[in-house]
Amino acid sequence: MLKALRDIRTLRVVIYHPKDRERDELVAQIRRIGCEVEAVWPPTETMRPDADVVFMLFRQDGFTHVLLKALVESGSQATLIAIVEFESPAVIEAIARAGAVSIVTKPIRAFGLLTSLVLSRTLSAKEKNLIDRTRKLESKLEGFRRMEKAKAILMSRKGFSEQEAYDVIRMRAMSARVSMDVVCATIIDADEFIGL
C-alpha cells in the first residue's frame, strides 16, 4: 500500500480560503478522510509551520499575494494543493511558481479529494527525495573537487606524487580524527592565505 495512503490519518491540513459553504464542505470532507484540519481566513503573514498539506485559494488579489509571500518566507515543506475558481494566465503562473502539486477546482466536490491528497503527498515525497539526493550528490562532487585541488596544491608545493598527496591527506585526517574533506579545506584555505 502507498505510504501516503497509509499515513493519511496523520496529516495536518491547513485550508486558506474565505469562510463560505464550499470551505465548510471542504473542511468536513477532509475531517471525514481522517485528517486534522484547520481553516484560516483572513491569511496571516506567517504560515502554520507544522502543516503537512496546505489547500490555498489562488485569486488575483492581495490575499493571494500575502499567502504566497508567507509561503516563500516560511520555507514550508508542506504539500501545496491549489484551489482555483477560474483559469487565467496570472493565476496559472502563480500556481506554477508556488510549487503546487495538485489543483482542486471550484465548485469543490468531495469526489477526488482523497485521490488529490494521496497523489499530492506521493509526488511531494518523490520530489523531496530527488532534491535530497541531488544535494548529497552535489556535496559529494564538491568534496571530490576539494580533494583534487588539495592534492594539486600538495603536488605543486611539496613535490608529492598524486598518491603521496592523497596519503598525506588521509593520514592527517586519521591523526586529527576529522574527515578528509576538512583536511582538504584546510589545505586550500592555507594555500589561498599564503598566496595573498
Side-chain angles (χ1 to χ4, degrees):
M1 181 183 292
L2 281 174
K3 183 177 180 350
L5 186 56
R6 192 175 57 244
D7 296 342
I8 199 82
R9 294 182 193 281
T10 65
L11 295 180
R12 291 175 305 275
V13 178
V14 178
I15 299 171
Y16 292 97
H17 188 290
K19 181 162 178 46
D20 63 11
R21 186 183 56 78
E22 283 189 280
R23 185 190 81 176
D24 293 343
E25 287 177 16
L26 178 59
V27 168
Q29 181 59 25
I30 299 297
R31 279 199 180 116
R32 277 193 291 274
I33 289 171
C35 303
E36 175 190 326
V37 63
E38 175 185 3
V40 177
W41 199 264
T44 60
E45 292 187 7
T46 58
M47 292 231 142
R48 184 173 159 182
D50 63 343
D52 298 309
V53 177
V54 170
F55 282 84
M56 182 187 298
L57 177 64
F58 280 77
R59 289 179 170 165
Q60 292 177 304
D61 64 9
F63 289 124
T64 300
H65 179 72
V66 168
L67 284 168
L68 290 174
K69 186 174 182 241
L71 185 67
V72 169
E73 290 175 356
S74 72
S76 174
Q77 298 296 311
T79 299
L80 178 61
I81 300 175
I83 302 171
V84 181
E85 290 179 307
F86 62 92
E87 295 176 329
S88 74
V91 169
I92 293 169
E93 183 179 342
I95 291 168
R97 275 189 293 123
V101 292
S102 182
I103 63 163
V104 173
T105 59
K106 291 184 81 169
I108 298 171
R109 303 281 183 244
F111 180 77
L113 284 176
L114 177 60
T115 302
S116 288
L117 272 171
V118 171
L119 290 179
S120 297
R121 290 295 292 169
T122 301
L123 289 173
S124 288
K126 285 181 180 180
E127 181 182 26
K128 184 182 182 312
N129 185 29
L130 288 173
I131 289 169
D132 289 346
R133 287 179 61 199
T134 301
R135 285 186 182 139
K136 286 177 186 173
L137 289 171
E138 286 172 347
S139 176
K140 201 173 200 178
L141 182 59
E142 189 58 37
F144 286 137
R145 288 183 185 136
R146 272 192 295 278
M147 173 63 78
E148 291 304 311
K149 188 170 183 179
K151 287 191 308 186
I153 291 167
L154 291 177
M155 290 162 61
S156 165
R157 298 242 186 231
K158 301 288 188 179
F160 292 151
S161 70
E162 186 174 354
Q163 185 61 49
E164 288 170 332
Y166 177 82
D167 290 342
V168 166
I169 292 168
R170 186 171 54 81
M171 293 305 286
R172 290 275 167 96
M174 287 171 48
S175 66
R177 295 183 185 209
V178 296
S179 71
M180 290 174 62
D181 194 49
V182 169
V183 174
C184 291
T186 303
I187 291 168
I188 294 166
D189 289 345
D191 184 64
E192 288 173 357
F193 179 74
I194 292 168
L196 289 178

